[in-house]
């Protein structure tokens, strides 16, 4: 009987540790998403078309410079998707653990 009680205490401590780790992971990924979204540039094509302004003249038109922005945006977009997935999975698993094992 004491062995069963000791096992239950160990499982409860383990589940509590997992819940804390999942909440910490969710908080870290939420902050990471905020930072990544703030680093991404907005779509300002509409305003540029209305005002007639264009890109600055000091940007050189090499192949690398033309595609450097799109590569950076693609990487930031992928990082956003990964961080959002981690946030979603961590939140769902934490909710399931909270619901079934309380």
């Amino acid at each position: 009987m004491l062995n069963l009680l000791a096992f239950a205490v160990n499982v409860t401590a383990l589940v509590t540790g997992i819940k804390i780790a999942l909440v910490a992971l969710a908080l870290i990924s939420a902050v990471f998403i905020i930072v990544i979204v703030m680093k991404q540039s907005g779509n300002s094509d509409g305003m540029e078309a209305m005002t007639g302004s264009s890109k600055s003249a000091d940007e050189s038109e090499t192949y690398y410079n033309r595609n450097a922005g799109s590569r950076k945006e693609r990487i930031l977009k992928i990082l956003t998707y990964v961080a959002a997935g981690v946030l979603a999975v961590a939140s769902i698993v934490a909710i399931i653990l909270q619901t079934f094992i309380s």
Side-chain angles (χ1 to χ4, degrees), residues 6-46:
F7 178 73
V9 169
N10 287 338
V11 169
T12 305
L14 178 67
V15 170
T16 303
I18 291 173
K19 282 193 252 183
I20 291 171
L22 287 171
V23 169
L25 183 64
L27 286 173
I28 290 169
S29 63
V31 170
F32 189 69
I33 289 172
I34 292 169
V35 171
I36 289 175
V37 169
M38 294 297 289
K39 289 184 82 161
Q40 292 178 6
S41 63
N43 294 336
S44 61
D45 293 338

Side-chain angles (χ1 to χ4, degrees), residues 48-76:
E48 287 177 357
M50 286 176 56
T51 60
S53 64
S54 62
K55 292 183 179 178
S56 64
D58 63 343
E59 291 181 14
S60 63
E61 288 295 323
T62 64
Y63 178 76
Y64 179 76
N65 284 342
R66 275 187 281 169
N67 293 323
S70 65
R71 280 192 297 266
K72 179 184 171 191
E73 290 298 318
R74 191 176 324 122
I75 290 171
L76 289 175

Side-chain angles (χ1 to χ4, degrees), residues 77-101:
K77 187 184 242 186
I78 290 170
L79 286 175
T80 304
Y81 289 148
V82 169
V86 168
L87 176 64
V89 169
S91 299
I92 290 170
V93 172
I95 290 170
I96 289 171
L97 285 176
Q98 183 69 29
T99 303
F100 291 120
I101 304 172

